[in-house]
Amino acid sequence: MTTSSTSFNFLRIFMASMLVAVSLLVLPQLIHAQNNSTIVTSINNSIEVTNVTKDSAIISWRTSEPTTSLVWYRLSNNSNAITYQVALSAAAQRSTGYRTEHRIKVNNLQPNTQYTFTVGGVNRDGATSISNERTFTTSANNNSNGLPVINTFTVTGVTTSKASVNVIANEPVTITATYNVRGSTSTQMVQSSPAATSHVIPLVDLNAQTDYQVKIVATDRSGNSVTSDTIGWTTVNNPNDTMSPVISNVQLTNISNSSATITWTTNEPTTSVVWYRENNTNSRMFGLLNDTKTATESREFTTSHKVTISGLTEGRGYLYRVGGTDQANNVGQSDERSFTAGASVNPTPTPNTSRPIIYNLSAAPSYTSRAATIRWSTNEATTDVITYSTSPDFTDSTTKTVSQGRLTRSHAVSLRSLNRNTFYYFKVTSTDQDKNATTYATGVFYLVR
């Protein structure tokens, strides 16, 4: 630091100190000179006291011209004006701080105590302005109603399935934490015991990569309770999640001439999507719905879903499926159902006659382990049978089958005890829950070193 800058800073500090000293010297005369021209009516009309706690308060006011910012205050039960203390704004401590909008926080006060104060300042011409006396009373606690105070409330230790709620209060309390998946109406509750000022409450059995929210109620030994704001967190992604969401309780309600509302639930949080089309025989192609429309999709992950389809034509029949994507990008989809716009009775589901679609079929042979893994995907959950043989027409004694009985959209089946340096032919048959089957034939691979 240079000598000139040091001298400049010293001069600034000296000037600020002199301003405080002058304020203290002239204060008794100013307070008692109620008819003095230095009393500014505009100050009196704009004074506000806010954020009053047990040990601080914020005082703000306005002036008709730029002035410095000063607050003089004392205990109300001490009438000796010379015992007033002076509070300066941060700007006034750094410089003269001329302004028309003033705000000063007064600290280090006593709880449950009345204070008397005046505000004012000095303009650029050296004229002093000062208000009439006012009072305020600090609270007995940070909460003037005597309720417990939640000092900190956080969520830490987040994993794929767990998290911890951390609470620190100003007095011994018990904690009730209520949490749920964001957007879901289903909630869970966990309580702490016994009363303490510090709590760590574990939350378990959470879903991976899911948005949660929690709020707490703190209750002291006298039965006084206070409720926190709601805070949120997201659990960690599970990279091994390849399971499609399970959809249940599909309900069609509020069918009008031009709209219908569909609700359903899922076993894990997903987005909310409805695929629908007019019910006619020319809109199917290779098992996929052609000319399918998508209802408003919600990107909020939830287990309780509600979507309204609009723009329908009265008297026309519609086919629809509901579903969504979980946070690991696994897609779930219901069976196909039908309704008629304007109908007052919920119809029964239309039988599913669509065959599943097989795609992304591949074979990964291993010469060293004498095995091969066949992988593929389907557009809906299916069980599977793989038939493989050294004969391209699957007629000789080497023909074998491997079955996979779990309904899934992502498939991987291992074939073992294969002969090296041999061509193998295979075909895949996938069958959905309505017994519709599709066969992909024929693949081939070769175990080569």
Side-chain angles (χ1 to χ4, degrees):
M1 180 182 294
T2 64
T3 302
S4 58
S5 61
T6 302
S7 301
F8 178 72
N9 288 334
F10 174 78
L11 180 60
R12 290 166 58 188
I13 296 172
F14 174 77
M15 292 299 293
S17 300
M18 289 299 294
L19 178 60
V20 173
V22 169
S23 300
L24 287 171
L25 290 173
V26 302
L27 179 61
Q29 290 77 20
L30 292 175
I31 291 177
H32 297 292
Q34 298 298 317
N35 296 321
N36 192 298
S37 61
T38 59
I39 303 298
V40 180
T41 302
S42 63
I43 295 180
N44 294 323
N45 294 338
S46 65
I47 297 173
E48 293 184 353
V49 181
T50 58
N51 297 78
V52 179
T53 70
K54 65 178 181 180
D55 57 6
S56 66
I58 293 177
I59 302 173
S60 58
W61 71 98
R62 294 184 299 276
T63 51
S64 57
E65 60 177 313
T67 70
T68 58
S69 304
L70 289 168
V71 171
W72 298 271
Y73 64 99
R74 62 173 174 85
L75 297 173
S76 294
N77 59 9
N78 187 340
S79 60
N80 186 357
I82 200 64
T83 61
Y84 270 84
Q85 295 174 271
V86 181
L88 286 82
S89 68
Q93 293 173 20
R94 293 191 299 269
S95 66
T96 51
Y98 295 106
R99 63 194 67 239
T100 58
E101 298 287 338
H102 308 267
R103 186 176 186 271
I104 291 180
K105 183 176 183 179
V106 183
N107 294 301
N108 302 318
L109 305 178
Q110 299 176 20
N112 197 26
T113 301
Q114 187 182 74
Y115 283 85
T116 299
F117 73 96
T118 63
V119 301
V122 180
N123 67 10
R124 291 187 175 93
D125 295 327
T128 302
S129 298
I130 189 168
S131 71
N132 293 332
E133 288 185 341
R134 299 291 180 93
T135 64
F136 66 88
T137 301
T138 54
S139 61
N141 293 293
N142 283 345
N143 189 308
S144 59
N145 294 323
L147 300 178
V149 177
I150 301 171
N151 294 328
T152 62
F153 169 35
T154 59
V155 175
T156 61
V158 178
T159 68
T160 57
S161 60
K162 298 179 181 179
S164 295
V165 173
N166 299 268
V167 181
I168 298 177
N170 69 322
E171 62 177 305
V173 294
T174 57
I175 299 296
T176 300
T178 303
Y179 64 100
N180 64 296
V181 175
R182 190 181 299 277
S184 172
T185 58
S186 176
T187 61
Q188 292 179 275
M189 182 182 297
V190 60
Q191 293 180 310
S192 69
S193 181
T197 57
S198 179
H199 298 268
V200 178
I201 304 172
L203 308 180
V204 298
D205 297 329
L206 307 179
N207 296 314
Q209 198 173 357
T210 300
D211 294 328
Y212 283 88
Q213 58 187 14
V214 62
K215 65 179 179 181
I216 62 172
V217 177
T219 305
D220 65 18
R221 288 169 173 160
S222 299
N224 301 310
S225 296
V226 63
T227 302
S228 72
D229 292 332
T230 299
I231 62 175
W233 78 97
T234 301
T235 50
V236 178
N237 180 35
N238 181 2
N240 298 319
D241 180 12
T242 60
M243 299 294 294
S244 298
V246 178
I247 296 167
S248 60
N249 196 30
V250 181
Q251 300 288 332
L252 187 64
T253 61
N254 299 330
I255 305 174
S256 71
N257 294 335
S258 60
S259 66
T261 299
I262 305 171
T263 62
W264 69 96
T265 59
T266 48
N267 67 323
E268 61 177 314
T270 71
T271 58
S272 305
V273 188
V274 174
W275 299 273
Y276 68 102
R277 64 179 180 87
E278 287 190 25
N279 188 1
N280 60 71
T281 58
N282 298 322
S283 58
R284 291 188 179 276
M285 178 182 295
F286 305 112
L288 290 177
L289 294 181
N290 192 28
D291 298 327
T292 298
K293 299 179 181 179
T294 303
T296 302
E297 177 178 354
S298 170
R299 291 303 305 173
E300 182 175 354
F301 292 94
T302 180
T303 56
S304 299
H305 308 267
K306 181 178 180 181
V307 172
T308 297
I309 302 173
S310 58
L312 307 179
T313 301
E314 181 182 2
R316 290 190 182 180
Y318 290 87
L319 299 174
Y320 72 95
R321 295 176 187 261
V322 302
T325 304
D326 66 18
Q327 302 212 32
N329 291 321
N330 300 306
V331 178
Q333 194 176 79
S334 72
D335 57 354
E336 190 170 71
R337 299 170 179 243
S338 67
F339 69 93
T340 300
S344 58
V345 180
N346 289 337
T348 57
T350 299
N352 176 24
T353 59
S354 301
R355 294 187 301 170
I357 298 174
I358 298 172
Y359 61 98
N360 289 342
L361 182 67
S362 65
S366 172
Y367 182 89
T368 56
S369 61
R370 296 175 55 200
T373 301
I374 312 300
R375 291 186 173 85
W376 71 101
S377 300
T378 51
N379 69 315
E380 60 179 315
T382 65
T383 60
D384 310 284
V385 175
I386 291 185
T387 303
Y388 64 102
S389 175
T390 59
S391 170
D393 56 6
F394 303 94
T395 57
D396 65 15
S397 60
T398 65
T399 300
K400 298 180 181 180
T401 61
V402 177
S403 299
Q404 186 280 117
R406 179 172 59 89
L407 288 167
T408 182
R409 295 163 55 94
S410 299
H411 312 266
V413 176
S414 294
L415 312 180
R416 303 186 182 280
S417 301
L418 304 178
N419 297 322
R420 295 185 176 95
N421 302 318
T422 302
F423 280 102
Y424 279 90
Y425 303 89
F426 68 93
K427 57 184 176 180
V428 173
T429 300
S430 293
T431 305
D432 65 18
Q433 61 183 355
D434 297 310
K435 309 304 180 183
N436 302 304
T438 297
T439 298
Y440 189 105
T442 302
V444 62
F445 62 88
Y446 181 75
L447 262 66
V448 62
R449 186 185 296 275

